[in-house]
Amino acid sequence: MSASIPIPSLAGIAARGAQPAIQGPPKVQAEALNFFYGETRALQDISINIQPNVVTAFIGPSGCGKSTFLRTMNRMNDIIPGTRVEGKLLIDGTDIYGHGIDVVSLRRRVGMVFQKSNPFPKSVFDNIAYGLRVNNMDGSRAEVEERVEQSLRQAALWDEVKDRLHDSALAMSGGQQQRLCIARALAVKPDILLMDEPASALDPIATQRIEELVYDLKKDYTIVIVTHNMQQAARVSDFTAFFWLGKLVEYDRTQKIFTNPGEKTTEDYVTGRFG
Amino acid sequence: MIEATLARSAATARRRLLDICFPVLALGILCAALAALGALIADVWGDGASRLSWDFMTGFPSRRAADAGIWHALTGSVFIILLTGALAVPIGVATAIYLEEYARRGLWSKIIEINITNLAAVPSIIYGLLGLGLFVRALAMGRSVLAGASTLALLVLPVIILSTREALRAVPGSIREGSYALGATKWQTVWYQVLPVALPGILTGTILALSRAIGETAPLITIGALTFVAFAPDGIWSPFTVLPIQIFNWVSRPQQEFQVNAAAGIIVLLVLLLTMNATAIWLRDRFQKKLT
Ligand SMILES: Nc1ncnc2c1ncn2[C@@H]1O[C@H](COP(=O)(O)OP(=O)(O)OP(=O)(O)O)[C@@H](O)[C@H]1O
Ligand SMILES: [Mg+2]
């Protein structure tokens, strides 16, 4: 199956993007996307089509621009002064950097889980209810309670916290806090979920739970996950994009990236020869 | 081998000694400072405690020292400080929020920042002159509680702005990011996430600024609070006096009995100050406990 995918050269990638053969319109589509921190160009001519209802993994050595690219998708980089975007980034066909885009509603649709878990210094319940409140999704108290429970169940956290919903979220373990952040992101019903190394600070058991969660979530969400863990990328993702020095080097089905990559750099990276 | 071990233990001993020296030194300095404060309080207490009574607290000024009370000055001080807080806190906190959360970082915000820092260092009598020109005369507030409170509000405003900005700056960026990522607006983020976390710091800074204002005499003398006031203020247009001015007034009398009154007045002022500072600490601890 993967043999039918043509392997473009590195020069070709920068020009037209390396896209695996997929049917159906992409969920996220970057076209010659460049990103600048002041004068530093952190992303160079990224072109990629991310498919709906699959898990796409971003891999690459530290500092190659994975987080930067992830944060362009919900315009979190707007907060950082002196940053600039060139090129197009379309979600469901709409350029999110175009005119008349409401960043606030974009961010509700494109949820994010940060590399370092950042629960609010409030109760477990309020952490999740907050997203509902700011988006006017909080109907009656019963509806909020139901949504909180639902999100916590989705994030495989309900059983651990159901008796301490009103305790401070900061009193929970690191892994629980990270799952709380996932539940918080899910509560506002995004359709894309961006996860920046969600398991980097977790023990193997918590990591496994998050991986199972990602696997379960993909039927409802489009998931992009950044990871430094090659086994994790191989386990959870359907597609993998390999970044290097701000460029997208290779993007293909995960199986292909890990068994028969088209680029020497990719192969060196996934086999642990550098990075 | 043995020599090496010995050498290391000698070095360790020196480090241990240093480790002990510093806290001992710090404790010594702390004790000296506390002793000076204690001596001061003991002295004032010795002079004035005998005069403290219900009659003194609720009495009005009188030419006879034994009849004179402090009610008018105490209520004046409390009223002034409440009004100062009501004027300065909303403006100061709002300014700090604007500067810290909304204003674009650039030359202008730098200039404003430097100016605010400088204003915090301007001698209080200058604020008195400003208050006299602006509030008492130009805005025709007269020598009223409102004019006094407005003047003190100007005086504490820079301090409140600076301490609020400091408190806002200490709120981790990850909390803001978490909020924005859920689709919260800037205002929702500031109101629901940033302010609650910054609140203990804001409260502490504000109350410390106000308790500085309560001891201020110079600006209030300048705007004319040093008139003879024989009643408690009954509204914002009422003339007034405050504790430090009443104390100053008594101290400047030749009669020994008035000196006793002054000492008693100082005790009242100190109690008021300590109460405010204790409130600051209590509020801070309370909100911090709620957060963690
Ligand atoms: N706020 C910032 N200001 C300036 N430069 C930045 C900023 N954030 C990131 N960069 C730069 O942009 C480049 C890409 O950073 P990014 O955080 O996207 O890397 P990453 O691939 O996520 O790395 P890691 O795997 O270590 O998280 C780096 O060279 C980094 O130094
Ligand atoms: Mg990163």
Side-chain angles (χ1 to χ4, degrees):
Chain A
M1 189 174 81
S2 55
S4 66
I5 299 166
I7 300 165
S9 69
L10 186 54
I13 294 167
R16 53 194 169 76
Q19 307 304 338
I22 301 284
Q23 61 292 2
K27 188 80 184 168
V28 182
Q29 196 177 356
E31 286 173 15
L33 190 77
N34 285 280
F35 185 86
F36 298 84
Y37 289 106
E39 293 304 303
T40 322
R41 187 166 161 200
L43 295 178
Q44 302 189 17
D45 291 320
I46 306 281
S47 294
I48 190 172
N49 287 340
I50 293 172
Q51 299 304 316
N53 298 98
V54 300
V55 177
T56 304
F58 284 2
I59 60 171
S62 191
C64 68
K66 305 178 297 291
S67 299
T68 304
F69 186 35
L70 209 60
R71 293 163 57 96
T72 56
M73 293 186 209
N74 61 349
R75 294 187 56 171
M76 281 308 280
N77 286 324
D78 290 15
I79 302 172
I80 306 170
T83 57
R84 190 157 51 88
V85 177
E86 279 173 11
K88 277 195 182 152
L89 187 55
L90 301 106
I91 292 182
D92 289 330
T94 312
D95 186 357
I96 61 165
Y97 286 92
H99 284 295
I101 290 297
D102 177 17
V103 181
V104 167
S105 52
L106 168 74
R107 292 195 185 127
R108 190 195 67 69
R109 284 186 47 209
V110 185
M112 181 158 205
V113 178
F114 294 84
Q115 181 165 353
K116 198 164 163 288
S117 70
N118 56 349
F120 302 128
K122 298 178 185 297
S123 71
V124 173
F125 185 92
D126 288 341
N127 258 275
I128 297 171
Y130 176 70
L132 303 175
R133 174 155 60 162
V134 296
N135 288 293
N136 289 321
M137 294 164 78
D138 53 345
S140 65
R141 175 87 188 170
E143 279 167 11
V144 174
E145 275 169 6
E146 193 192 314
R147 189 80 197 110
V148 168
E149 175 173 345
Q150 207 180 346
S151 314
L152 285 169
R153 281 190 191 281
Q154 269 184 305
L157 190 59
W158 174 253
D159 291 329
E160 286 156 70
V161 299
K162 61 172 184 271
D163 302 319
R164 38 191 284 212
L165 286 178
H166 297 283
D167 291 0
S168 169
L170 301 182
M172 303 198 307
S173 78
Q176 289 172 329
Q177 290 187 12
Q178 191 59 289
R179 274 177 287 152
L180 177 67
C181 291
I182 295 174
R184 185 174 81 182
L186 294 176
V188 297
K189 303 191 174 163
D191 36 88
I192 301 172
L193 190 61
L194 310 173
M195 305 172 101
D196 198 346
E197 299 184 46
S200 62
L202 304 184
D203 71 20
I205 292 172
T207 303
Q208 195 192 341
R209 300 191 84 155
I210 289 194
E211 288 178 10
E212 286 165 1
L213 171 66
V214 168
Y215 194 83
D216 288 343
L217 290 174
K218 78 175 176 190
K219 59 181 180 297
D220 301 315
Y221 301 86
T222 301
I223 297 175
V224 183
I225 182 169
V226 174
T227 178
H228 278 288
N229 181 330
M230 293 305 114
Q231 285 78 31
Q232 184 172 65
R235 279 193 301 262
V236 301
S237 69
D238 304 292
F239 291 89
T240 297
F242 170 61
F243 292 82
W244 188 46
L245 300 176
K247 292 198 184 91
L248 174 60
V249 174
E250 190 166 358
Y251 171 50
D252 213 322
R253 291 190 183 276
T254 299
Q255 202 198 0
K256 174 137 187 346
I257 293 276
F258 282 94
T259 55
N260 183 24
E263 298 295 329
K264 182 77 170 63
T265 348
T266 315
E267 186 180 340
D268 287 349
Y269 184 73
V270 298
T271 53
R273 270 198 280 273
F274 88 96
Chain B
M1 182 66 216
I2 291 169
E3 271 140 312
T5 324
L6 279 177
R8 202 185 309 139
S9 71
T12 317
R14 242 193 53 220
R15 274 169 38 204
R16 280 230 188 87
L17 193 67
L18 268 173
D19 215 36
I20 296 168
C21 274
F22 182 73
V24 168
L25 187 73
L27 193 68
I29 295 170
L30 179 69
C31 286
L34 283 179
L37 183 67
L40 191 80
I41 292 179
D43 185 48
V44 171
W45 183 261
D47 288 347
S50 59
R51 188 68 185 84
L52 285 178
S53 68
W54 188 244
D55 285 343
F56 178 72
M57 295 299 290
T58 57
F60 288 98
S62 161
R63 247 166 305 160
R64 296 198 311 136
D67 291 343
I70 206 159
W71 181 244
H72 59 297
L74 180 60
T75 48
S77 271
V78 171
F79 195 4
I80 280 265
I81 223 60
L82 290 179
L83 197 54
T84 302
L87 291 170
V89 173
I91 299 175
V93 172
T95 308
I97 290 174
Y98 175 77
L99 289 175
E100 198 55 37
E101 306 285 334
Y102 287 87
R104 284 210 303 147
R105 300 287 136 86
L107 187 64
W108 269 115
S109 70
K110 260 264 145 24
I111 292 174
I112 292 176
E113 184 168 345
I114 291 170
N115 271 300
I116 292 174
T117 318
N118 283 338
L119 279 178
V122 167
S124 59
I125 190 139
I126 310 280
Y127 283 96
L129 290 171
L130 176 64
L132 180 66
L134 182 63
F135 300 122
V136 178
R137 303 224 170 108
L139 296 177
M141 290 179 184
R143 310 183 158 208
S144 61
V145 173
L146 184 61
S150 303
T151 307
L152 288 186
L154 280 186
L155 179 76
V156 296
L157 206 50
V159 184
I160 292 180
I161 294 173
L162 289 175
S163 60
T164 303
R165 286 191 76 175
E166 216 52 61
L168 291 174
R169 216 170 292 171
V171 177
S174 62
I175 292 183
R176 289 186 176 86
E177 287 202 329
S179 174
Y180 288 131
L182 288 170
T185 62
K186 187 153 212 170
W187 174 245
Q188 287 170 327
T189 301
V190 169
W191 184 253
Y192 292 118
Q193 301 294 351
V194 177
L195 272 183
V197 177
L199 199 59
I202 295 175
L203 281 174
T204 319
T206 302
I207 297 186
L208 291 181
L210 288 179
S211 59
R212 189 193 141 196
I214 210 170
E216 279 296 344
T217 326
L220 294 181
I221 291 180
T222 322
I223 68 157
L226 192 57
T227 41
F228 182 79
V229 177
F231 46 85
D234 57 0
I236 58 170
W237 300 110
S238 161
F240 68 98
T241 192
V242 290
L243 284 170
I245 292 181
Q246 183 60 61
I247 293 165
F248 174 70
N249 180 312
W250 279 332
V251 168
S252 57
R253 305 266 185 113
Q255 299 94 323
Q256 175 58 33
E257 296 82 14
F258 279 112
Q259 307 299 322
V260 176
N261 280 2
I266 290 171
I267 297 173
V268 173
L269 181 58
L270 278 177
V271 168
L272 191 60
L273 265 172
L274 291 178
T275 312
M276 285 180 70
N277 289 356
T279 314
I281 294 168
W282 179 73
L283 281 172
R284 191 186 56 202
D285 287 355
R286 206 183 112 96
F287 282 103
Q288 261 164 4
K289 222 169 276 151
K290 251 175 74 181
L291 289 176
T292 47

